[in-house]
Amino acid sequence: MLKIYQFSKSYSSGFTLEIQSLELKQGTHLIKGENGSGKSTLFKAIAGIHAFEGEIILEGVSLQQQPVKFRKLVNYAEAEPQFPDFLSLDDLILFVSKAKEASSSQIAHLKEAFGVNNYAANSISSYSSGMLKKASLLLAFLGTPKLIILDEPFTTIDAEAQQNLLGIIKNKKAKGINFLISSHHLPDMQEFEFTSIQQLINGKLINR
Ligand SMILES: Nc1ncnc2c1ncn2[C@@H]1O[C@H](COP(=O)(O)OP(=O)(O)OP(=O)(O)O)[C@@H](O)[C@H]1O
């Protein structure tokens, strides 16, 4: 499903994330690691947000060679989402759904599933951190991605929203969508039956 070769990303701070080779098969993969080990750096590279050295291939599509096609296949929800606060979630949905070619029925279904209907029309400046997180997670499910990357999806949201999210992920898994998830707080690890667990230690990957 996902192949990463000769990957390297360095910051001016001195931190370097290096992955010689990683091949993940279809499924749901957990990326573990302490704070600052490089999880978000890896996710941002795969999401096409960060420049890097090396090669990332998803379902045979190379991020370097076919960046537009690649980006349509990957959705990403940041650990700490930030959006222009004069916009509403409905504005963001409109924008992202055009790019990701999401249908109006999918939008209606996701708004219901994430429980955002009562505030989606309001500006983001009025959202609590949990409301913002749910908004960001919803956006990551729009369209028909092959891979959804969720960075710390369970932080900030309440227990009911966590259970909802588990159900949504399970539903998408059953439809063949792949996931990369990082989490310091998994509500119920057994529910996921991770296909693999990868551990990052100070910018180096340890396959377990
Ligand atoms: N834009 C940046 N510029 C410079 N250094 C950065 C930048 N982003 C991250 N870093 C550094 O890179 C290292 C890895 O950060 P990263 O956010 O990938 O870790 P993480 O595993 O996601 O951590 P956490 O669990 O705390 O979210 C850290 O030392 C961090 O300070």
Side-chain angles (χ1 to χ4, degrees):
M1 182 269 290
L2 183 71
K3 296 176 179 171
I4 299 178
Y5 300 119
Q6 312 290 329
F7 176 95
S8 175
K9 168 72 186 175
S10 296
Y11 295 118
S12 54
S13 57
F15 177 85
T16 298
L17 173 64
E18 272 185 324
I19 298 171
Q20 280 306 305
S21 170
L22 174 65
E23 297 193 0
L24 298 178
K25 57 184 179 180
Q26 299 279 333
T28 298
H29 302 269
L30 178 66
I31 311 295
K32 288 175 68 171
E34 293 178 357
N35 293 134
S37 56
K39 302 178 299 295
S40 301
T41 301
L42 176 62
F43 288 167
K44 284 176 183 163
I46 299 169
I49 293 169
H50 264 349
F52 61 90
E53 284 177 30
E55 192 163 22
I56 299 180
I57 301 164
L58 175 65
E59 306 260 315
V61 179
S62 161
L63 173 53
Q64 287 77 5
Q65 286 161 31
Q66 299 159 281
V68 176
K69 187 171 179 188
F70 185 100
R71 284 193 181 94
K72 277 211 166 158
L73 302 178
V74 179
N75 286 4
Y76 168 53
E78 284 191 86
E80 290 171 19
Q82 289 184 334
F83 301 108
D85 66 5
F86 56 91
L87 296 177
S88 66
L89 172 57
D90 280 338
D91 294 330
L92 293 171
I93 289 173
L94 199 63
F95 177 72
V96 176
S97 61
K98 269 194 185 144
K100 297 285 179 180
E101 295 173 17
S103 66
S104 49
S105 64
Q106 185 193 39
I107 293 167
H109 171 76
L110 286 173
K111 284 176 74 173
E112 183 69 36
F114 278 96
V116 300
N117 275 315
N118 62 346
Y119 67 85
N122 303 340
S123 70
I124 283 167
S125 58
S126 68
Y127 296 2
S128 71
S129 54
M131 290 159 78
L132 183 64
K133 186 80 173 193
K134 284 194 267 187
S136 144
L137 289 165
L138 183 157
L139 295 172
F141 284 81
L142 287 170
T144 52
K146 293 277 185 217
L147 173 65
I148 298 179
I149 302 173
L150 302 176
D151 198 350
E152 293 291 344
F154 297 103
T155 53
T156 324
I157 58 174
D158 61 40
E160 190 185 337
Q162 290 184 3
Q163 286 308 312
N164 280 346
L165 178 61
L166 275 172
I168 295 165
I169 294 172
K170 278 164 93 177
N171 179 280
K172 289 289 178 188
K173 269 179 71 174
K175 291 181 175 148
I177 311 270
N178 302 287
F179 285 89
L180 287 187
I181 297 175
S182 79
S183 186
H184 297 296
H185 310 98
L186 282 175
D188 188 346
M189 283 197 64
Q190 283 185 342
E191 288 220 40
F192 275 90
E193 293 166 359
F194 286 108
T195 313
S196 83
I197 299 177
Q198 312 291 328
Q199 176 133 27
L200 279 168
I201 298 180
N202 197 20
K204 300 272 186 297
L205 196 61
I206 291 161
N207 190 315
R208 304 193 325 160

